[in-house]
């Protein structure tokens, strides 16, 4: 049995006239009659009572009509889904995110995707660190991820979505907390709290690099697995740290943020994806992201 046989059967069953059914299908009547005979021969049943005056469905034909219609309806749905998927209107995107900074971007992007393309399904994949998310993109586990620059990976495309200033986080009672700006070298003897050295953290790397550029190696006396714990320890007076400006939504009575004196130090947040991923759904998401998470207008130095 072929699809053309089912199409022919439904047309004749609904028109109850071979001539009208043939016109509906844009074909001649003899080939249509042949298709119905082939179908009846394959099923070993008679589907129509044919007289010189009328065409009527037999009991077998009546029983077959609704299931045959369902087959054609399901086919239309499948065709529509395939076409929508090809246009990126349907699909599944696995989106990786990590850290406190991603949480301000994620709701905006998610809301825009659901509003503009509700058929797209986002699957959220939490990672401990931005470089873990980058690894997921490289390995193909993630379609898209929030990452920190630099990437240092081949085959990965990216677009910067935010330039963040690096700030000092201090206990509120710290001797420098009242200063408008902090000279980093004034913290040379201070205990620092940051992410573990066993993980690849762009924030820890930026902290160490900034301190070394200021003429000292930071005394990292305590490590913690996430931003919230690090800032809680700072608020408790256990030390100081450097953070990107996106985490200043984390507040505590014992915590203050101050900008650094001297040249502005920044971290870049970006969306990253595999350069050879030509998914229509991914292209839709990237286009939406350009609108809700645009590249900063301030020129950036890579």
């Amino acid at each position: 049995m072929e699809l053309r046989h089912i199409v022919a059967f439904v047309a004749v069953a609904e028109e109850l006239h071979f001539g009208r059914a043939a016109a509906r299908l844009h074909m001649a009547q003899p080939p249509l009659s042949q298709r119905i005979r082939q179908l009846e021969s394959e099923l070993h049943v008679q589907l129509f009572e044919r007289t010189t005056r009328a065409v009527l469905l037999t009991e077998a034909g009546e029983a077959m009509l609704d299931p045959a219609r369902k087959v054609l309806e399901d086919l239309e749905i499948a065709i529509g889904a395939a076409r929508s998927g090809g246009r990126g209107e349907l699909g599944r995107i696995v989106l990786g995110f990590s850290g406190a900074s991603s949480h301000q971007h994620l709701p905006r992007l998610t809301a825009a995707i659901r509003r503009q393309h509700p058929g797209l399904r986002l699957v959220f994949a939490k990672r401990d660190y931005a470089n873990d998310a980058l690894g997921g993109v490289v390995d193909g586990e993630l379609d898209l991820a929030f990452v920190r620059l630099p990437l240092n990976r081949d085959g990965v495309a990216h677009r910067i979505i935010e330039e963040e200033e690096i700030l000092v986080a201090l206990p509120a009672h710290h001797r420098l907390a009242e200063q408008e700006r902090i000279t980093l070298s004034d913290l040379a003897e201070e205990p620092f709290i940051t992410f573990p050295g066993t993980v690849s953290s762009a924030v820890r790397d930026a902290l160490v690099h900034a301190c070394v550029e200021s003429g000292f190696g930071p005394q990292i006396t305590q490590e913690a697995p996430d931003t919230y714990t690090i800032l809680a320890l700072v608020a408790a007076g256990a030390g100081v740290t450097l953070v990107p400006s996106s985490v200043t939504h984390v507040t505590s009575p014992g915590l203050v943020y101050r900008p650094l004196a001297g040249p502005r130090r920044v971290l870049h947040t970006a969306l990253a994806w595999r350069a050879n991923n030509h998914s229509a759904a991914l292209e839709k998401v990237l286009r939406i992201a350009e609108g809700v998470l645009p590249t900063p207008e301030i020129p950036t130095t890579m």
Side-chain angles (χ1 to χ4, degrees), residues 34-85:
Q34 184 180 9
R35 288 185 188 179
I36 296 299
R37 288 194 297 271
Q38 290 172 342
L39 180 60
E40 290 176 324
S41 175
E42 184 169 347
L43 295 175
H44 303 291
V45 295
Q46 185 176 347
L47 298 172
F48 297 98
E49 292 282 356
R50 304 165 179 84
T51 71
T52 56
R53 293 177 177 271
V55 176
L56 301 173
L57 282 165
T58 64
E59 289 186 5
E62 290 278 6
M64 183 174 173
L65 181 55
D66 282 344
R69 284 171 171 156
K70 184 68 166 55
V71 168
L72 296 183
E73 289 170 2
D74 288 347
L75 177 63
E76 286 299 317
I77 292 172
I79 291 171
R83 288 172 176 167
S84 294

Side-chain angles (χ1 to χ4, degrees), residues 217-293:
Q219 299 182 37
I220 298 173
T221 59
Q222 194 157 1
E223 297 176 336
D226 58 75
T227 299
Y228 299 101
T229 305
I230 290 170
L231 293 175
L233 290 169
V234 171
V240 301
T241 193
L242 300 186
V243 293
S245 53
S246 61
V247 307
T248 55
H249 67 278
V250 182
T251 59
S252 169
L255 180 67
V256 296
Y257 300 99
R258 294 290 181 266
L260 288 167
R264 187 169 178 265
R265 299 179 184 273
V266 298
L267 279 173
H268 296 99
T269 300
L271 281 171
W273 62 96
R274 292 187 308 284
N276 63 357
N277 185 348
H278 303 298
S279 158
L282 176 62
E283 290 177 5
K284 289 282 186 184
V285 171
L286 292 175
R287 193 171 301 120
I288 292 169
E290 287 180 3
V292 296
L293 301 174

Side-chain angles (χ1 to χ4, degrees), residues 2-293:
E2 298 179 21
L3 181 63
R4 61 195 179 98
H5 294 131
I6 298 176
V7 171
F9 165 72
V10 170
V12 175
E14 290 180 345
E15 299 291 343
L16 292 178
H17 190 283
F18 275 84
R20 289 196 299 270
R24 169 175 158 178
L25 298 177
H26 307 288
M27 63 184 300
Q29 185 173 330
L32 175 61
S33 298
Q34 184 180 9
R35 288 185 188 179
I36 296 299
R37 288 194 297 271
Q38 290 172 342
L39 180 60
E40 290 176 324
S41 175
E42 184 169 347
L43 295 175
H44 303 291
V45 295
Q46 185 176 347
L47 298 172
F48 297 98
E49 292 282 356
R50 304 165 179 84
T51 71
T52 56
R53 293 177 177 271
V55 176
L56 301 173
L57 282 165
T58 64
E59 289 186 5
E62 290 278 6
M64 183 174 173
L65 181 55
D66 282 344
R69 284 171 171 156
K70 184 68 166 55
V71 168
L72 296 183
E73 289 170 2
D74 288 347
L75 177 63
E76 286 299 317
I77 292 172
I79 291 171
R83 288 172 176 167
S84 294
R87 294 191 297 266
E89 295 170 1
L90 296 174
R92 175 178 179 270
I93 295 295
V94 183
L95 176 61
F97 66 99
S98 65
S101 58
S102 297
H103 292 278
Q104 65 178 329
H105 305 305
L106 201 58
R108 292 162 58 193
L109 180 59
T110 301
I113 291 170
R114 287 177 176 167
R115 183 173 60 252
Q116 297 181 40
H117 294 286
L120 278 172
R121 186 163 72 93
L122 287 180
V123 178
F124 302 109
K126 179 74 167 63
R127 294 292 188 267
D128 291 332
Y129 302 98
N131 281 338
D132 293 340
L134 176 60
V137 171
V138 173
D139 296 340
E141 296 176 3
L142 304 176
D143 298 302
L144 186 66
F146 293 100
V147 300
R148 297 275 192 195
L149 300 191
L151 299 186
N152 299 323
R153 297 291 187 99
D154 294 330
V156 177
H158 74 277
R159 182 176 64 80
I160 294 173
I161 60 172
E162 186 174 17
E163 182 178 85
E164 301 181 64
E165 185 177 359
I166 297 176
L167 308 175
V168 180
L170 302 161
H173 57 74
H174 193 277
R175 60 185 174 83
L176 300 175
E178 297 302 320
Q179 292 190 190
E180 186 176 342
R181 289 182 174 272
I182 305 296
T183 301
L184 194 52
S185 59
D186 287 343
L187 301 174
E189 303 302 321
E190 297 289 332
F192 276 81
I193 307 166
T194 189
F195 296 99
T198 54
V199 301
S200 184
S201 164
V203 174
R204 179 184 172 120
D205 290 346
L207 183 154
V208 172
H209 181 71
C211 292
V212 170
E213 275 196 341
S214 298
F216 69 97
Q219 299 182 37
I220 298 173
T221 59
Q222 194 157 1
E223 297 176 336
D226 58 75
T227 299
Y228 299 101
T229 305
I230 290 170
L231 293 175
L233 290 169
V234 171
V240 301
T241 193
L242 300 186
V243 293
S245 53
S246 61
V247 307
T248 55
H249 67 278
V250 182
T251 59
S252 169
L255 180 67
V256 296
Y257 300 99
R258 294 290 181 266
L260 288 167
R264 187 169 178 265
R265 299 179 184 273
V266 298
L267 279 173
H268 296 99
T269 300
L271 281 171
W273 62 96
R274 292 187 308 284
N276 63 357
N277 185 348
H278 303 298
S279 158
L282 176 62
E283 290 177 5
K284 289 282 186 184
V285 171
L286 292 175
R287 193 171 301 120
I288 292 169
E290 287 180 3
V292 296
L293 301 174

